[in-house]
């Protein structure tokens, strides 16, 4: 079995791959978020949002 496509790595998928509007930066790590630049408030990327939720759940 000599199929080169079997082991091929897929193209990365992320905000840069979308043709949508520009995305807002995360206020903590400056990575693109799932929100458009026009979103109000403190925008967080999914990773930082998860970490903040874990911190607030364990804080008391």
């Amino acid at each position: 079995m000599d199929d080169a496509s079997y082991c091929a790595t897929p193209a990365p998928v992320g905000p840069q791959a979308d043709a949508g509007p520009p995305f807002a930066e995360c206020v903590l790590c400056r990575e693109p978020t799932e929100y458009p630049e026009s979103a109000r408030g403190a925008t967080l990327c999914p990773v930082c949002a998860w970490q903040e939720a874990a911190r607030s759940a364990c804080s008391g």
Side-chain angles (χ1 to χ4, degrees), residues 24-25 27 33 35-44:
E25 287 184 343
V27 295
T33 65
Y35 304 103
E37 283 185 344
S38 61
R40 295 188 177 265
T43 54
L44 297 174

Side-chain angles (χ1 to χ4, degrees), residues 10-23 31-35 46:
V13 177
Q16 292 81 12
D18 293 340
F23 293 94
E31 290 293 319
T33 65
E34 299 172 340
Y35 304 103

Side-chain angles (χ1 to χ4, degrees), residues 4-60:
S5 66
Y6 178 77
C7 294
T9 304
V13 177
Q16 292 81 12
D18 293 340
F23 293 94
E25 287 184 343
C26 176
V27 295
L28 298 177
C29 68
R30 301 183 57 95
E31 290 293 319
T33 65
E34 299 172 340
Y35 304 103
E37 283 185 344
S38 61
R40 295 188 177 265
T43 54
L44 297 174
C45 70
V47 173
C48 290
W50 182 81
Q51 291 173 345
E52 283 294 312
R55 282 188 205 110
S56 65
C58 295
S59 66

